[in-house]
Structures are given as C-alpha cells and as structure tokens.
Amino acid sequence: MIDFSIIWFAIIVFAILMYIVMDGFDLGIGLLFPFNKNPVERDMMVNTVAPVWDGNETWLVLGGAGMYGAFPLAYSVIVDALTIPLTAMLVGLIFRGVAFEFRFKATESHRPFWDKAFIWGSVLATFSQGVSVGAIINGFPVHGRTFAGGYMDWLAPFPLFCGIGLLVAYALLGCTWLIMKTEHELHRKMSALATPLVIALLVIVGLISLWTPFSHEAIAQRWFTRPNLFWFLPVPVLVLVCAWGIVRGVKREAHYSPFLLTLLLIFLGFSGLGISVWPYIIPPSITIWQAASPAISQAFMLVGGLLIIPVILMYTFWSYYVFRGKVKADEGYH
C-alpha cells in the first residue's frame, strides 16, 4: 500500500528547501545592502535577481498549500502557535517586494527610503522564518487537536537565536550568489565578506547542534546512540568540508564553487534539523501519520501536485538559464 503521508512530507520538505535556497540569496542581498553604500553597485546587486526573484515564493506557497491539504492538523497548530512571526514574515516579504520594484522608479531623493524598506523587509522576513523554525524544533503543546500553548511561546531564547542564525545563513547565500554573478570591485567586496560569514555560520551551527540535544533528550538519543552516531556522522563532517571549500574557493578567486558549496551547506543544515525531528511534524508528540488527512484526499492532491511541480521546475530552470552569466553595471531589467 502506498504511504501518501511520506510522499507528501517529502514534497513539502522539498518545496521548503527550494524556497530556502532560492529566496535565501534573494533576501540575503537585502541583508548585504548595509555593507555596500555605492548606489551603482546596489543596483547591480538587485539586478542579479531582478528577472527571477518573484517566482521564488512559488515554493513557499506550494509548501503551505501542501501542508494545509495533506496535514491539516499540523497546519492549524503551526499557524495558531506562530501567528505573530508568520504575519511578520508576510509583512517583511510585502515590504521587500514593493521596495524591490519602487526603488528603480523612485526619484533620487526617495530612493534611500526604499533602500531602507528593502533592507528591513529582508531582515524581518528572514528573522521571522528563523524564529518559526526554532519554535517548531522546540515543539508545541497540543491538547487533542488544538494548540494548547500561548501565542508568545515563540519568544524564547532558542527560536530567537535561530532567527539570528538564519540571517547569517541567508547573508552568506546572498554573498556567494553575488560572487558568482558579479565581477571587478563588487566581486572583491563580496569575496572579502564571505570568510567572516562562513566562520559566523559555523559558530551558530555548532551552538545549535549542542543546544538541541542538551534541551531535548529525544534528539540526543537520535544523534548520539549507536548505530545512529555512525550513520549521521557524515553530516557534521561534510559541513566542515563545505565551509573549508568555500573559504578556499574565495581565496583562489573562484566564481561558482563558493555558491554551490553554500547550497550544499544549507542542505546539510536543513537535513540535520530533519533528522532531529523525524517522524514528528509537530514535535514532540504528533507524527506525520497522526496529522495526516485521509489517504483519498492526499491521493487526489497528489495528482495535481505531480502535474504542477514539473511545470514549476521547468520554468524555474528556464528563467535561471536565460539570465545566466555575469551582470554588468550598465545592464538592467527594469
């Protein structure tokens, strides 16, 4: 018998990972704006993602819609528990999107306002996403099928630290994306910024990796008991290898390897979180099967999902392929 819950869980995880990867460097560019005051280079930074940025949220919509239909209990609990950070994320994305378009059309006197809106929209959206992830890892109290906690439970040290961690991760994604897409002075500035960001991210990943097992016995059992210890050991080892590869690539003035290794680094961090919480979709008590909708509903949705996902992948690939290559100072898409 086909286990539709596992299939839909894989689809949702894939959609969220695609969003983190593709909108991560987009938001990361907004986070890097304060490190570069040059208006021409700021325009170049934005132009690297101008043709593709508005399609990245498709994956966020797909992940949210998939959870709503396939795991309605998880959707209701998470939305109820994280109403404030999720609302803040949407506000940040709206400000970021509006500022993205308006800064190109604004007069010189108004452009600083839209630059600030772009920065703070990116910060708010990114921080809210990190807080939400940290709160989910911490878990939610559920009574029956209802969230039994408080609306401010997310305001705790671990979720807030995860928010800071995601700011650094997205900044590194944006930095290495710009290393790949730009040249000359902007390329050199981003190359100089990459190594400190890698070190900061390694410190954050290390602290989170220690924080979670010490705070949650089940996670400690998952990672540090045999034979799991040997099965999962490649994850932290590969994280260190990727970090070393990024630093080495930047030093030898590579253009593509820092970004590709950063993608792998983000994937490894995401997979580590998945290993920690599996099979719970609402830690520490609700599994994917307990939160699932009826199998016939999941099967009906899967037909539509298998039709639309290849279309999204094709137009995503095509848009990035068409606008491949370096962005010049005199080029623009607006």
Side-chain angles (χ1 to χ4, degrees), residues 45 56 84 98 130 157 160 164 182 187-188 200 202 204 210 218 268 287 309 318 334:
M45 293 167 70
N56 295 335
I84 294 174
V98 172
L160 295 177
I164 296 171
T182 62
H187 176 89
R188 286 190 287 271
L202 275 182
I204 289 168
L210 293 173
L268 289 169
T287 66
I309 291 173
W318 182 248
H334 288 72

Short mmCIF file of all heavy atoms in Angstrom, two decimals, residues 45 56 84 98 130 157 160 164 182 187-188 200 202 204 210 218 268 287 309 318 334:
data_model
loop_
_atom_site.label_atom_id
_atom_site.label_comp_id
_atom_site.label_asym_id
_atom_site.label_seq_id
_atom_site.Cartn_x
_atom_site.Cartn_y
_atom_site.Cartn_z
N MET A 45 23.57 44.65 -7.54
CA MET A 45 23.17 43.58 -6.63
C MET A 45 21.72 43.18 -6.86
O MET A 45 21.38 41.98 -6.95
CB MET A 45 23.37 44.03 -5.17
CG MET A 45 24.83 44.23 -4.77
SD MET A 45 25.04 45.12 -3.20
CE MET A 45 24.44 43.90 -2.04
N ASN A 56 10.31 32.93 -6.83
CA ASN A 56 10.84 32.10 -5.75
C ASN A 56 9.80 31.77 -4.69
O ASN A 56 9.84 30.70 -4.08
CB ASN A 56 12.04 32.80 -5.09
CG ASN A 56 13.21 32.95 -6.05
OD1 ASN A 56 13.35 32.20 -7.00
ND2 ASN A 56 14.05 33.95 -5.81
N ILE A 84 2.04 35.39 15.09
CA ILE A 84 2.79 36.65 15.08
C ILE A 84 4.01 36.57 14.17
O ILE A 84 4.18 37.42 13.29
CB ILE A 84 3.15 37.07 16.51
CG1 ILE A 84 1.88 37.39 17.30
CG2 ILE A 84 4.09 38.28 16.50
CD1 ILE A 84 2.10 37.69 18.77
N VAL A 98 7.68 45.29 -2.57
CA VAL A 98 7.31 46.64 -3.01
C VAL A 98 8.56 47.50 -3.17
O VAL A 98 8.73 48.21 -4.18
CB VAL A 98 6.33 47.28 -2.01
CG1 VAL A 98 6.11 48.75 -2.34
CG2 VAL A 98 5.01 46.53 -2.01
N GLY A 130 13.42 32.22 10.64
CA GLY A 130 14.29 31.53 11.58
C GLY A 130 13.64 31.28 12.92
O GLY A 130 13.77 30.19 13.50
N PRO A 157 14.59 31.98 23.99
CA PRO A 157 15.97 32.14 23.53
C PRO A 157 16.32 31.31 22.29
O PRO A 157 16.96 31.82 21.37
CB PRO A 157 16.79 31.69 24.75
CG PRO A 157 15.90 31.98 25.91
CD PRO A 157 14.51 31.72 25.44
N LEU A 160 14.74 32.66 18.98
CA LEU A 160 15.34 33.95 18.64
C LEU A 160 16.77 33.75 18.12
O LEU A 160 17.20 34.44 17.19
CB LEU A 160 15.34 34.87 19.86
CG LEU A 160 13.96 35.30 20.37
CD1 LEU A 160 14.09 36.14 21.64
CD2 LEU A 160 13.19 36.07 19.31
N ILE A 164 18.54 34.70 14.36
CA ILE A 164 19.84 35.31 14.07
C ILE A 164 20.65 34.40 13.15
O ILE A 164 21.31 34.86 12.21
CB ILE A 164 20.59 35.58 15.38
CG1 ILE A 164 19.83 36.62 16.22
CG2 ILE A 164 22.02 36.05 15.11
CD1 ILE A 164 20.38 36.79 17.62
N THR A 182 28.74 38.62 -10.23
CA THR A 182 29.33 39.94 -10.46
C THR A 182 30.84 39.82 -10.69
O THR A 182 31.42 38.74 -10.54
CB THR A 182 29.06 40.89 -9.28
OG1 THR A 182 29.68 40.37 -8.09
CG2 THR A 182 27.57 41.03 -9.04
N HIS A 187 32.64 42.13 -6.88
CA HIS A 187 33.08 40.75 -6.66
C HIS A 187 34.12 40.69 -5.54
O HIS A 187 34.06 39.81 -4.67
CB HIS A 187 33.66 40.19 -7.96
CG HIS A 187 34.22 38.81 -7.84
ND1 HIS A 187 33.46 37.68 -8.04
CD2 HIS A 187 35.47 38.38 -7.52
CE1 HIS A 187 34.22 36.62 -7.86
NE2 HIS A 187 35.44 37.01 -7.55
N ARG A 188 35.06 41.63 -5.54
CA ARG A 188 36.10 41.64 -4.50
C ARG A 188 35.51 41.94 -3.12
O ARG A 188 35.91 41.36 -2.12
CB ARG A 188 37.17 42.66 -4.86
CG ARG A 188 38.09 42.21 -6.00
CD ARG A 188 39.28 43.13 -6.16
NE ARG A 188 38.88 44.42 -6.74
CZ ARG A 188 38.84 44.65 -8.05
NH1 ARG A 188 39.16 43.70 -8.90
NH2 ARG A 188 38.49 45.84 -8.50
N ALA A 200 31.12 32.81 11.08
CA ALA A 200 29.97 33.10 11.93
C ALA A 200 28.91 32.00 11.82
O ALA A 200 28.33 31.57 12.83
CB ALA A 200 29.37 34.45 11.55
N LEU A 202 29.39 28.83 10.97
CA LEU A 202 29.89 27.62 11.62
C LEU A 202 29.70 27.69 13.14
O LEU A 202 29.31 26.69 13.77
CB LEU A 202 31.37 27.42 11.29
CG LEU A 202 31.71 26.70 9.99
CD1 LEU A 202 33.22 26.56 9.86
CD2 LEU A 202 31.05 25.35 9.90
N ILE A 204 27.43 29.41 14.74
CA ILE A 204 25.99 29.30 15.01
C ILE A 204 25.52 27.86 14.86
O ILE A 204 24.77 27.36 15.71
CB ILE A 204 25.21 30.25 14.08
CG1 ILE A 204 25.44 31.69 14.50
CG2 ILE A 204 23.71 29.93 14.09
CD1 ILE A 204 24.96 32.72 13.51
N LEU A 210 24.71 21.80 19.61
CA LEU A 210 24.87 21.46 21.02
C LEU A 210 23.60 21.78 21.83
O LEU A 210 23.24 21.04 22.75
CB LEU A 210 26.05 22.22 21.62
CG LEU A 210 27.44 21.85 21.09
CD1 LEU A 210 28.49 22.81 21.64
CD2 LEU A 210 27.78 20.41 21.45
N ALA A 218 15.14 13.42 23.42
CA ALA A 218 14.85 12.58 22.25
C ALA A 218 15.83 12.87 21.11
O ALA A 218 16.27 11.95 20.40
CB ALA A 218 13.41 12.81 21.78
N LEU A 268 22.75 20.57 4.10
CA LEU A 268 23.18 19.73 5.22
C LEU A 268 22.58 20.21 6.54
O LEU A 268 22.16 19.40 7.37
CB LEU A 268 24.71 19.74 5.30
CG LEU A 268 25.45 18.99 4.18
CD1 LEU A 268 26.93 19.31 4.22
CD2 LEU A 268 25.22 17.49 4.30
N THR A 287 3.05 12.77 15.01
CA THR A 287 3.79 12.29 13.86
C THR A 287 3.08 12.70 12.56
O THR A 287 1.94 13.19 12.58
CB THR A 287 3.91 10.76 13.89
OG1 THR A 287 2.61 10.18 13.73
CG2 THR A 287 4.52 10.29 15.20
N ILE A 309 4.26 20.42 -10.19
CA ILE A 309 5.66 20.51 -9.77
C ILE A 309 6.63 20.48 -10.96
O ILE A 309 7.56 21.30 -11.02
CB ILE A 309 5.99 19.41 -8.74
CG1 ILE A 309 5.25 19.70 -7.43
CG2 ILE A 309 7.50 19.34 -8.48
CD1 ILE A 309 5.38 18.60 -6.40
N TRP A 318 14.35 27.37 -16.70
CA TRP A 318 14.45 28.17 -17.90
C TRP A 318 14.78 29.63 -17.59
O TRP A 318 15.60 30.26 -18.25
CB TRP A 318 13.16 28.08 -18.71
CG TRP A 318 13.20 28.85 -20.00
CD1 TRP A 318 12.50 29.97 -20.33
CD2 TRP A 318 14.03 28.56 -21.14
NE1 TRP A 318 12.80 30.40 -21.58
CE2 TRP A 318 13.75 29.55 -22.11
CE3 TRP A 318 14.96 27.57 -21.42
CZ2 TRP A 318 14.38 29.56 -23.35
CZ3 TRP A 318 15.59 27.58 -22.66
CH2 TRP A 318 15.29 28.58 -23.59
N HIS A 334 14.69 46.65 -15.54
CA HIS A 334 13.52 47.46 -15.26
C HIS A 334 13.50 48.66 -16.21
O HIS A 334 14.55 49.16 -16.56
CB HIS A 334 13.49 47.95 -13.81
CG HIS A 334 13.18 46.83 -12.84
ND1 HIS A 334 14.08 45.84 -12.55
CD2 HIS A 334 12.06 46.54 -12.13
CE1 HIS A 334 13.54 45.01 -11.67
NE2 HIS A 334 12.33 45.41 -11.40
#
